[in-house]
Amino acid sequence: MKVAVIGTGYVGITTGVTLAYVGHHVTCVDVNPAKLASLKAGKAPIYEPGLEELLSLAAERLAFTDSYAEAVPEADVIFIAVGTPPLPDGNPDLQYLQAAAAGIGEHIGEGFTVVVNKSTVPIGSGNWVDALIHEAFATRQGKLFQEHLAVASNPEFLREGSAIHDSLYPDRMVVGAEDQRALEVLYTLYRPILEQTFTPPSFIPRPEGLQAVPFIATDLTSAELIKYSANAFLALKISFINEIAALAERVGADVTQIAKGIGLDARIGTRFLQAGIGWGGSCFGKDTAALIATAQDYGLSMPIVAAAREVNYRQRERIVEKLLAELKILKGRTIGLLGLAFKPNTDDLRDAPALDIAHRLIERGVRVRVHDPVAMEKARREHPHLALHYCETPEEVAEEADALVLVTEWAMYRELPWEEMARRMRRAVLVDGRNFLDRAQMAALGFRYVGIGLNPLEPPRLAAKEAPRAVRVEG
């Protein structure tokens, strides 16, 4: 099939590349000349494991352009995958969605076409996009639009750092549409993935036992709400275990044992029960805010979702409080942050906890050193006014530091020369914001280990020599 993808951000490029890999002819549209040049050269505009390799394998069926006229008229399926960043009131900014719909309407061909909202969009956006396309077509063509268009919602459930895996081997495929023809077209489009008939790439093998992917067909509005509901529920689980972690610290319990004890209940599950700094990135914060804003439009409140947001952003301040408890005074201290990206295996800095924590520390007069194996150049470019001291190695971060905070659980941080780093520090205080490291090992190497929902662990001390016995003086 011929596919057009409007937008080559995280969702757009992943969608385009995976569909091309499984056999479709895909043209991706973007207005950014630098991004297009990079893609045409086979270079991914984002850091995502496996993306450039898949770009190379699918290159014969991929094209990149800034012209709707080149991509839209012949397309059987058009994906809208543009950004919908949050506005101050929590609602998403739909200007890029509106522009994409207008561009499609001006250039859409005469054959039956399915336009798919792949971006996370507010409830009711399917109807709105349909109206915008019809309006643009009538304005440009000077005639009424014939009924050879269907709008569908096909939400993505990708995890940054695992996006290629999640695209090729999804848990489920959700498609919402009012026109049965749209459901049939999208089932055909995704058939290689639904039936797992494609040859898996060697660098991202098919999970053992996976033979088929469930296809969930719904009405348009339900599909739109499924995306928001899924992200809100995952955000709730993270905030719930972080709230329990705060209580665990007060009563002397171990939140990792608690999470295991409740997570093995099949009704709850172990995933997303890792206490820590909390969530960041482009999805959970934006989607929970949008869900609350949508509910308000319909005269409803969503206190559970609102509480999840409150707990999550409170976690960042709790890191500062832990540093205050350990160091007493922060002004003039040097503190190192290990990790900038909001999660490992990505360079995404949107709503990254590290940047929020760094800002809070700088406001308190702290000299902040940072390291990230992937995201430092992007941080320099996107946050030039944040007074961070970028270090090429974690060892440089530790030099004469008063404390280290592990913010992003990059695998490489497990293998650092931690004993040497402890010796380099002015005070060997380690705040593990992800409970990622072995706390007994860190203590044995000389750190005072401070986790989330755990009792701090001191380094072992030499046994004190026996004190001299008191001498009784008679008289």
Side-chain angles (χ1 to χ4, degrees):
M1 299 179 77
K2 292 184 178 180
V3 178
V5 179
I6 313 301
T8 60
Y10 177 78
V11 173
I13 190 59
T14 304
T15 300
V17 171
T18 52
L19 287 174
Y21 177 76
V22 300
H24 301 294
H25 294 273
V26 180
T27 302
C28 297
V29 181
D30 203 288
V31 297
N32 186 323
K35 187 182 289 187
L36 288 174
S38 175
L39 286 166
K40 289 178 179 178
K43 300 294 183 184
I46 57 174
Y47 179 84
E48 179 64 36
L51 180 55
E52 284 195 358
E53 292 88 339
L54 212 64
L55 268 171
S56 176
L57 292 175
E60 291 183 358
R61 292 182 295 276
L62 269 172
F64 302 98
T65 182
D66 62 357
S67 171
Y68 280 76
E70 290 182 27
V72 169
E74 300 299 320
D76 302 298
V77 180
I78 304 170
F79 286 94
I80 301 178
V82 296
T84 54
L87 293 168
D89 65 358
N91 282 296
D93 184 348
L94 300 179
Q95 61 172 311
Y96 307 112
L97 180 67
Q98 184 173 6
I104 292 168
E106 290 173 4
H107 297 93
I108 196 165
E110 294 297 325
F112 180 70
T113 308
V114 180
V115 176
V116 182
N117 275 334
K118 194 70 174 175
S119 306
T120 302
V121 293
I123 297 161
S125 293
N127 297 330
W128 186 55
V129 165
D130 185 279
L132 289 171
I133 293 173
H134 278 78
E135 180 182 331
F137 180 87
T139 302
R140 178 68 179 268
Q141 305 294 338
K143 59 182 179 180
L144 294 177
F145 190 74
Q146 300 300 314
E147 288 306 318
H148 53 260
L149 165 74
V151 174
S153 175
N154 174 215
E156 53 81 19
F157 301 100
L158 307 180
R159 299 167 297 167
E160 292 194 38
S162 307
I164 301 300
H165 178 280
D166 294 347
S167 295
L168 294 174
Y169 317 115
D171 294 325
R172 76 286 200 197
M173 189 71 67
V174 175
V175 174
E178 307 303 332
D179 191 322
Q180 182 64 30
R181 294 175 298 171
L183 298 175
E184 293 170 357
V185 167
L186 291 175
Y187 187 94
T188 302
L189 178 77
Y190 284 124
R191 187 187 295 275
I193 294 172
L194 296 171
E195 299 179 359
Q196 290 292 299
T197 55
F198 65 90
T199 302
S202 59
F203 48 91
I204 306 181
R206 180 177 288 124
E208 187 175 352
L210 179 61
Q211 298 179 344
V213 173
F215 184 81
I216 311 299
T218 76
D219 59 85
L220 195 56
T221 304
S222 294
E224 292 169 342
L225 189 51
I226 283 170
K227 169 64 176 178
Y228 282 112
S229 301
N231 277 352
F233 187 77
L234 296 176
L236 288 174
K237 288 189 74 174
I238 296 170
S239 289
F240 172 79
I241 199 62
N242 278 329
E243 194 165 78
I244 295 298
L247 180 59
E249 289 178 10
R250 295 291 180 93
V251 301
D254 182 332
V255 77
T256 61
Q257 295 177 10
I258 296 167
K260 184 176 181 180
I262 65 175
L264 290 175
D265 185 325
R267 298 168 298 176
I268 297 174
T270 58
R271 297 177 67 184
F272 289 83
L273 282 181
Q274 287 73 45
I277 290 175
W279 38 263
S282 65
C283 291
F284 286 179
K286 176 172 71 73
D287 291 355
T288 51
L291 192 58
I292 292 169
T294 298
Q296 289 173 343
D297 290 342
Y298 288 85
L300 297 172
S301 63
M302 304 202 79
I304 295 176
V305 179
R309 290 175 53 82
E310 180 182 348
V311 170
N312 185 72
Y313 292 108
R314 170 81 175 124
Q315 291 301 105
R316 304 176 185 191
E317 183 60 28
R318 290 192 68 223
I319 295 298
V320 177
E321 291 169 358
K322 286 177 179 291
L323 290 167
L324 274 168
E326 296 297 324
L327 303 177
K328 308 308 179 188
I329 296 173
L330 293 183
K331 187 179 293 291
R333 304 289 196 192
T334 297
I335 294 173
L337 304 183
L338 295 175
L340 286 170
F342 87 93
K343 65 178 290 187
N345 298 320
T346 181
D347 61 353
D348 197 339
L349 297 168
R350 288 174 290 182
D351 197 19
L355 297 177
D356 194 359
I357 292 167
H359 180 74
R360 293 166 189 253
L361 291 173
I362 291 168
E363 283 186 331
R364 289 167 169 80
V366 174
R367 185 173 187 267
V368 178
R369 294 182 184 153
V370 297
H371 174 270
D372 189 285
V374 168
M376 289 202 295
E377 186 54 42
K378 193 170 186 179
R380 287 189 181 100
R381 185 172 65 251
E382 294 183 357
H383 300 275
H385 303 300
L386 194 57
L388 301 176
H389 300 267
Y390 294 92
C391 300
E392 294 303 314
T393 66
E395 291 89 336
E396 186 182 346
V397 175
E399 192 69 43
E400 290 297 306
D402 295 288
L404 293 177
V405 181
L406 190 144
V407 184
T408 312
E409 62 273 35
W410 285 96
M412 67 166 290
Y413 289 155
R414 285 195 196 275
E415 310 302 325
L416 294 178
W418 285 106
E419 187 171 14
E420 176 190 344
M421 291 173 65
R423 288 196 298 266
R424 288 173 177 249
M425 295 175 67
R426 186 178 294 117
R427 295 173 180 81
V429 174
L430 173 62
V431 179
D432 185 349
R434 301 293 182 181
N435 292 345
F436 180 64
L437 303 170
D438 185 320
R439 61 176 181 152
Q441 181 185 31
M442 292 299 106
L445 294 177
F447 284 98
R448 174 169 166 80
Y449 178 96
V450 180
I452 307 294
L454 305 168
N455 290 324
L457 200 58
E458 295 277 5
R461 303 182 185 282
L462 295 175
K465 294 181 180 179
E466 185 178 350
R469 294 177 182 236
V471 178
R472 183 178 180 180
V473 179
E474 301 286 347

